[in-house]
């Protein structure tokens, strides 16, 4: 029987660290960011729809999506973010459903659906349980500034564009505290795998 775990957490919460660890433990990872890039790649239906709604100025000279430029727009304008989500959302859902189906047919034991906006996008409907990686906002801002070279305001805008951490954690079934050392974080995940007999 295949167990589908939803994995989520705010931007710069350490979700990728947990995802990488689960992969090393034998889980099949369906990465929402990878799928999101796939559906708007060069010459895709998603990219054509983005050009129609937002214009050619968000396309690079090589015909690809200028992610940084579009990101700066949508993370500062809720209507634009809604418009973008109305394009990418259905395409990502369709692809995720297909990937889960394929892995179930392969009799994979543990599938991890690694999606930052898991609850916002209603992807929990495909999961048996949802694990949320939690971290205080102060640490989140610091990590985001360091990782992506954002100003404090840019980091705050990215965080504010997502669901509040408290709400996300309240909706999840399993909470992983990532405010201390990485070893402590991974120990919590390991314990969960042992309890679920998925290790």
């Amino acid at each position: 029987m295949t167990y589908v775990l939803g994995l989520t957490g705010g931007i710069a919460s350490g979700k990728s660290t947990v995802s990488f660890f689960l992969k090393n433990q034998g889980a099949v990872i369906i990465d929402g960011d990878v799928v999101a890039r796939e559906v708007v790649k060069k010459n895709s239906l998603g990219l054509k729809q983005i050009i129609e709604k937002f214009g050619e100025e968000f396309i690079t000279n090589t015909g690809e999506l200028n992610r940084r430029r579009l990101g700066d727009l949508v993370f500062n304008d809720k209507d634009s973010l809604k418009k973008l989500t109305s394009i990418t959302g259905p395409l990502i859902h369709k692809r995720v459903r297909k990937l889960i189906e394929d892995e179930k047919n392969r009799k994979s034991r543990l599938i991890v659906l690694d999606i930052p906006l898991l609850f916002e996008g209603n992807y929990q409907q495909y999961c048996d349980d949802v694990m949320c990686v939690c971290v205080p906002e102060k640490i989140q801002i610091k990590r985001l500034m360091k990782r992506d070279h954002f100003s404090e305001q840019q980091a705050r805008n990215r965080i504010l564009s997502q669901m509040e951490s408290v709400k996300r954690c309240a909706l999840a079934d399993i909470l992983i505290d990532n405010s201390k050392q990485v070893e402590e974080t991974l120990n919590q995940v390991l314990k969960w795998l042992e309890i679920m007999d998925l290790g």
Side-chain angles (χ1 to χ4, degrees), residues 72-82:
D72 285 341
L73 171 72
V74 300
F75 291 117
N76 290 299
D77 177 21
K78 279 184 178 167
D79 287 339
S80 294
L81 185 59
K82 237 185 218 167

Side-chain angles (χ1 to χ4, degrees), residues 44-191:
S44 65
L45 171 67
L47 190 61
K48 282 176 189 143
Q49 291 176 344
I50 286 170
I51 294 167
E52 277 168 28
K53 278 213 172 137
F54 293 93
E56 297 274 354
E57 66 265 32
F58 293 99
I59 307 303
T60 65
N61 297 336
T62 55
E64 282 151 326
L65 180 65
N66 187 330
R67 299 178 68 81
R68 186 94 191 203
R69 192 165 185 186
L70 188 60
D72 285 341
L73 171 72
V74 300
F75 291 117
N76 290 299
D77 177 21
K78 279 184 178 167
D79 287 339
S80 294
L81 185 59
K82 237 185 218 167
K83 234 193 263 183
L84 179 63
T85 308
S86 74
I87 296 167
T88 57
L91 297 170
I92 296 168
H93 269 275
K94 188 180 177 185
R95 182 78 183 126
V96 163
R97 281 197 303 271
K98 171 83 170 76
L99 290 168
I100 290 173
E101 204 178 293
D102 290 349
E103 288 307 328
K104 282 185 172 178
N105 289 336
R106 283 189 195 105
K107 305 275 190 286
S108 295
R109 202 151 169 240
L110 174 60
I111 300 170
V112 175
L113 191 50
D114 176 352
I115 298 191
L117 305 178
L118 189 130
F119 292 117
E120 293 93 324
N122 196 27
Y123 293 96
Q124 73 275 16
Q125 64 181 303
Y126 310 125
C127 306
D128 294 299
D129 284 308
V130 175
M131 177 182 282
C132 182
V133 183
C134 308
V135 70
E137 195 177 283
K138 255 198 304 199
I139 296 175
Q140 211 179 347
I141 289 168
K142 226 186 235 177
R143 285 179 184 167
L144 197 48
M145 286 168 72
K146 190 180 174 186
R147 189 189 78 186
D148 293 354
H149 312 291
F150 284 149
S151 67
E152 190 174 336
Q153 193 52 56
Q154 282 176 313
R156 282 186 191 281
N157 287 345
R158 288 292 198 276
I159 291 164
L160 286 170
S161 74
Q162 298 184 341
M163 182 183 281
E164 276 181 62
S165 182
V166 176
K167 192 177 177 190
R168 190 188 297 108
C169 291
L171 289 167
D173 306 288
I174 307 126
L175 300 181
I176 301 295
D177 172 19
N178 188 31
S179 61
K180 298 179 186 80
Q181 296 299 314
V182 71
E183 291 77 20
E184 291 180 60
T185 303
L186 300 182
N187 266 334
Q188 295 169 63
V189 181
L190 201 54
K191 268 184 196 161

